[in-house]
Amino acid sequence: MSRWAGLLSTCARVSLLLLLGSVLFSCSSLSDTVPEFALTKIEESDIKDDSGKEPVTEDDADPEDLEVFYPTDQWQTLRPGQAVAAGSHVRLNLQTGEREAKLPDRENGEGDMREDRRRKRLGKVDVDANSFTSEELKKALAKMKESEKAERKVDNAKDFLSMGGLRLVIEGLNSSEASLKEHAAFVLGAALSSNPKVQIEAIEGGALQKLLVILATEQPLAVRKKALFALSSMLRHFPYAQQQFLKLGGLQVLRSLFRQKGMEPLHVRVVTLLYDLLMEKMLLEDSQHGEQMEEKIQQYQQVRLLPAVVEQGWCALVPNLLAMPEHDTREKVLKLVGVLVAFCREHYRGDPTLGTTLSLLRSEYEELAAEEQREGDKDGYFRELLGSVNTIIQELR
């Protein structure tokens, strides 16, 4: 009998990966609120189906409309919308892909019952990345990407890690297929977002190095876009990962994106990431200090991000993006320039192009802000942009 004979069928293995995906996305309800410009936001376009509409799941049903499921001693298939009584055994049938439930088995102790329920729900299988073909991984990860709202009755990220799901996704980053890399990076980024335990597991599993390799090598824009999303999710509020990022030459990797054709859509994302990380540290240092906060500040003191940004030429690189026509892009660039101006002042003062650009922006936003005021909006968007421009000009005098 061949070594493949005892493995799960293709349908069963894909079902297992879909279960991992549902575990992953159920963690999103526990995540902290993402700051305004954080790259860790899951983009709207990434959670919609081909018709442009968000997938409808049973989580969208009105709780008052749920049909009650009456369990027996035998496994029964759960229909969409049915509410399961507390204490019932629930599992995912890997052969059919359907949820099933029954009354709890009271022959064993309470601890055994809980473990038995968990194992039945997970299908009593071990995850082995080597037992999945490339095509199966690609299809399963694509399904995960499409299903932000999913089954929330599994034990969240704890099972995702214990089942080997994170390792499986990290392995997907090594694939030779671009679409599989893209889906794996997206799923990884979603799992990492505001989830310290997954961040630790991911960096110990070599995810940081793999993401930097994707960004440093010739890859399609879509793949690099998702890799940058995952990288941002890993670095935010994780000083150890930020320190390793610098040691591995992460800033040089991001800077190389500015020298390659076709990577322009990533430029503002990189600027946003740098601004988020710099502000994250500054805000922490300015906050009220408790015992735990002091420990975190000590961790951030090991992260020499700002000196590295200045030393590696970002003072000259960032202001060039002010020539972009989009106001949203300019806003993000102005924020980063505003942070860097105290450390790049001499360079900025000697840059005639920057002086001209700032003067043109001030004239443009003075007109737009005046129009806002005439329309009754005294604290409008363009007034805020004008304030950012004026602050930078004032700093350079």
Side-chain angles (χ1 to χ4, degrees):
M1 183 180 294
S2 68
R3 64 182 296 266
W4 298 103
L7 294 177
L8 296 171
S9 66
T10 298
C11 177
R13 286 181 280 175
V14 172
S15 297
L16 175 59
L17 277 176
L18 293 178
L19 176 59
L20 293 180
S22 72
V23 170
L24 185 159
F25 286 112
S26 66
C27 302
S28 63
S29 62
L30 305 177
S31 301
D32 296 331
T33 302
V34 181
E36 182 179 2
F37 298 118
L39 287 175
T40 51
K41 273 188 177 177
I42 298 179
E43 299 180 54
E44 189 178 26
S45 61
D46 292 328
I47 60 174
K48 294 183 176 181
D49 59 22
D50 294 336
S51 65
K53 299 180 180 180
E54 293 186 10
V56 178
T57 70
E58 89 179 57
D59 286 330
D60 296 324
D62 189 328
E64 296 182 359
D65 295 335
L66 293 178
E67 179 185 351
V68 177
F69 174 82
Y70 296 98
T72 67
D73 292 332
Q74 303 298 319
W75 289 109
Q76 300 180 73
T77 300
L78 287 168
R79 294 195 301 273
Q82 283 189 311
V84 184
S88 299
H89 282 182
V90 180
R91 73 178 183 184
L92 179 69
N93 188 317
L94 296 181
Q95 298 299 324
T96 65
E98 297 178 336
R99 289 192 306 145
E100 299 175 346
K102 74 168 190 173
L103 289 172
D105 185 356
R106 303 187 180 278
E107 293 181 0
N108 299 323
E110 182 179 350
D112 293 336
M113 287 174 57
R114 186 182 303 110
E115 180 62 20
D116 182 61
R117 180 165 62 248
R118 174 184 173 276
R119 289 181 180 179
K120 286 180 180 178
R121 187 170 60 236
L122 300 180
K124 294 185 179 179
V125 292
D126 295 324
V127 177
D128 180 4
N130 295 324
S131 69
F132 292 88
T133 67
S134 176
E135 188 64 24
E136 289 168 352
L137 283 173
K138 181 168 62 176
K139 289 179 180 179
L141 288 171
K143 289 293 184 182
M144 292 185 201
K145 179 180 175 182
E146 295 169 2
S147 305
E148 183 194 20
K149 296 180 180 179
E151 174 69 45
R152 286 189 170 86
K153 304 204 183 289
V154 191
D155 295 332
N156 298 328
K158 184 182 297 184
D159 280 340
F160 179 70
L161 294 176
S162 65
M163 291 172 65
L166 186 62
R167 178 174 59 84
L168 192 65
V169 173
I170 292 175
E171 284 300 316
L173 299 175
N174 282 334
S175 173
S176 59
E177 296 188 42
S179 59
L180 180 52
K181 283 184 181 179
E182 178 188 352
H183 296 326
F186 175 83
V187 171
L188 177 62
L192 290 167
S193 297
S194 302
N195 196 327
K197 183 174 182 179
V198 178
Q199 287 177 315
I200 293 171
E201 293 284 344
I203 198 167
E204 290 180 349
L208 178 59
Q209 293 91 326
K210 289 178 172 60
L211 290 172
L212 290 178
V213 168
I214 291 175
L215 290 169
T217 56
E218 187 174 346
Q219 303 288 340
L221 175 62
V223 176
R224 283 176 162 174
K225 177 182 175 183
K226 296 302 184 295
L228 187 56
F229 163 63
L231 176 66
S232 176
S233 298
M234 175 175 284
L235 297 182
R236 287 189 55 77
H237 304 293
F238 191 9
Y240 175 75
Q242 295 175 22
Q243 189 176 3
Q244 296 305 306
F245 166 77
L246 294 176
K247 287 182 178 180
L248 292 171
L251 272 182
Q252 292 96 319
V253 171
L254 295 184
R255 202 177 190 286
S256 69
L257 297 175
F258 288 76
R259 297 192 295 268
Q260 300 173 31
K261 292 182 178 180
M263 295 296 113
E264 291 79 10
L266 299 184
H267 295 173
V268 68
R269 296 170 182 270
V270 171
V271 166
T272 300
L273 173 58
L274 293 181
Y275 173 77
D276 285 344
L277 296 180
L278 291 172
M279 288 303 299
E280 177 184 305
K281 182 177 180 180
M282 292 179 180
L283 291 174
L284 181 66
E285 293 173 343
D286 292 341
S287 64
Q288 302 215 344
H289 300 173
E291 184 176 342
Q292 290 184 338
M293 196 64 69
E294 289 291 348
E295 181 180 352
K296 198 164 188 178
I297 288 175
Q298 291 178 5
Q299 295 175 0
Y300 274 100
Q301 286 175 345
Q302 305 300 316
V303 182
R304 307 286 293 168
L305 178 59
L306 184 56
V309 166
V310 175
E311 290 169 5
Q312 294 182 28
W314 290 86
C315 290
L317 188 62
V318 174
N320 293 335
L321 299 180
L322 289 173
M324 300 289 287
E326 298 85 5
H327 298 299
D328 180 66
T329 297
R330 293 175 182 175
E331 176 188 12
K332 295 171 182 177
V333 176
L334 285 170
K335 286 181 177 292
L336 182 55
V337 171
V339 172
L340 295 178
V341 67
F343 308 92
C344 305
R345 183 174 284 108
E346 294 307 313
H347 176 85
Y348 288 165
R349 283 175 173 170
D351 184 354
T353 302
L354 176 59
T356 301
T357 299
L358 290 172
S359 295
L360 292 173
L361 289 178
R362 179 166 62 179
S363 298
E364 179 179 352
Y365 289 132
E366 281 177 343
E367 293 181 9
L368 292 172
E371 183 178 345
E372 280 181 332
Q373 191 168 13
R374 287 193 297 270
E375 294 174 353
D377 191 352
K378 295 182 179 180
D379 297 313
Y381 176 69
F382 295 115
R383 182 180 178 85
E384 181 180 345
L385 291 183
L386 176 60
S388 297
V389 173
N390 285 335
T391 298
I392 295 171
I393 292 175
Q394 184 66 33
E395 288 282 339
L396 295 179
R397 286 179 178 170

